[in-house]
Amino acid sequence: MTIILHELALRGDARPSPFCWHARFSLAHKNLPYTAVPTGFTGIPGIAGGGHKTVPVMEHAGKTIGDSWAIAEFLEATYPDRPSLFGGAAGKAYAVFMRSWGLTALRLPMLKVILMDIYNTVPAEEQTYFRTSREQRFGAKLEEFVANRDESAAAVRANLEPLRATLAEQPYLSGETALYPDYVVAGYLLWWRAVSPRRLLESDDPVTAWFQRVMALYPRIAADSTRAWDGP
Ligand SMILES: N[C@@H](CCC(=O)N[C@@H](CS)C(=O)NCC(=O)O)C(=O)O
């Protein structure tokens, strides 16, 4: 059986989507082989017979699953004998928290830094779609949305403080081994790194050392992830 993962690819084969990285981490954690199929924004409606508005979309033994969290839950239920993504019910609850925390404490302030970088990475023929859909969603011109980039970057760095405190106690956010909560955060760092030439983390930041530990666990993700500069 071949597992197919449809994921977002932009100009220069940049792979930015944090949610696609979350799905990749889920597959990698379960040690499942998969084929990653790149798509642009305008290709999404045509994936796997249609009906999907976002990627990732996974095709698995005749079943098609959209949404990174649904993919994680499906893989956890389908492959109980492989390493657990969550580490039990309490671990799953922690993963739910980290998803919510990531959406508010990382995704939004990161977007306020990198939205124009993403736009500049979107192929010319998809830029009008991207600009229109995002300006509608955020109620502002892209340029206005990133007007306070420096403050937003500082907010992201400050929001990582609980992670630094956690990593002073243990090698991974989930304890002795990396689990889904680690992948949530790593996915957002891969997103930033794929499109933005700005440095997010200093090399002596404990989050940098943790990120490198996570990357070392998954050489394929480290190799396939693209970067605007060489760092987290
Ligand atoms: N809740 C979804 C969100 C997925 C998502 O928003 N994907 C973005 C790429 S990062 C997308 O496909 N956007 C399509 C579009 O904006 O047209 C998940 O976790 O998979």
Side-chain angles (χ1 to χ4, degrees), residues 145-222:
F145 192 75
V146 298
N148 298 315
R149 268 196 202 112
D150 290 342
E151 288 86 342
S152 302
V156 177
R157 292 184 192 105
N159 289 351
L160 292 170
E161 201 47 37
L163 307 191
R164 295 186 187 99
T166 305
L167 294 168
E169 306 284 329
Q170 54 198 44
Y172 295 101
L173 300 176
S174 305
E176 290 304 310
T177 56
L179 296 174
Y180 202 84
D182 292 83
Y183 307 146
V184 169
V185 178
Y188 287 114
L189 296 187
L190 289 172
W191 179 41
W192 178 301
R193 188 176 79 162
V195 293
S196 180
R198 286 172 171 254
R199 174 178 281 270
L200 173 60
L201 301 171
E202 295 305 324
S203 51
D204 62 353
D205 191 317
V207 179
T208 302
W210 159 84
F211 179 73
Q212 286 164 346
R213 278 196 291 281
V214 174
M215 285 295 101
L217 294 174
Y218 301 115
R220 179 173 172 190
I221 290 178

Side-chain angles (χ1 to χ4, degrees), residues 5 18-24 26 54-58 65-77 85-100 103 179-181 183-184:
L5 186 74
F19 307 108
C20 293
W21 289 120
H22 295 159
R24 282 243 204 172
S26 297
T54 60
V55 280
V57 172
M58 184 179 76
I65 302 155
D67 190 85
S68 57
W69 181 249
I71 290 170
E73 287 191 303
F74 173 85
L75 293 176
E76 186 75 340
L85 260 176
F86 304 125
K92 186 170 179 186
Y94 174 37
V96 170
F97 165 78
M98 283 300 277
R99 281 180 65 227
S100 308
L103 284 170
L179 296 174
Y180 202 84
Y183 307 146
V184 169

Side-chain angles (χ1 to χ4, degrees), residues 8 17-19 41 44 53-56 67-68 129 134 137:
L8 187 65
S17 166
F19 307 108
F41 283 108
I44 294 173
K53 291 190 172 146
T54 60
V55 280
D67 190 85
S68 57
Y129 161 74
R134 270 50 184 181
R137 185 182 304 170

Side-chain angles (χ1 to χ4, degrees), residues 130-141:
F130 186 83
R131 179 179 279 282
T132 310
S133 59
R134 270 50 184 181
E135 290 185 349
Q136 218 161 37
R137 185 182 304 170
F138 301 126
K141 302 283 292 173

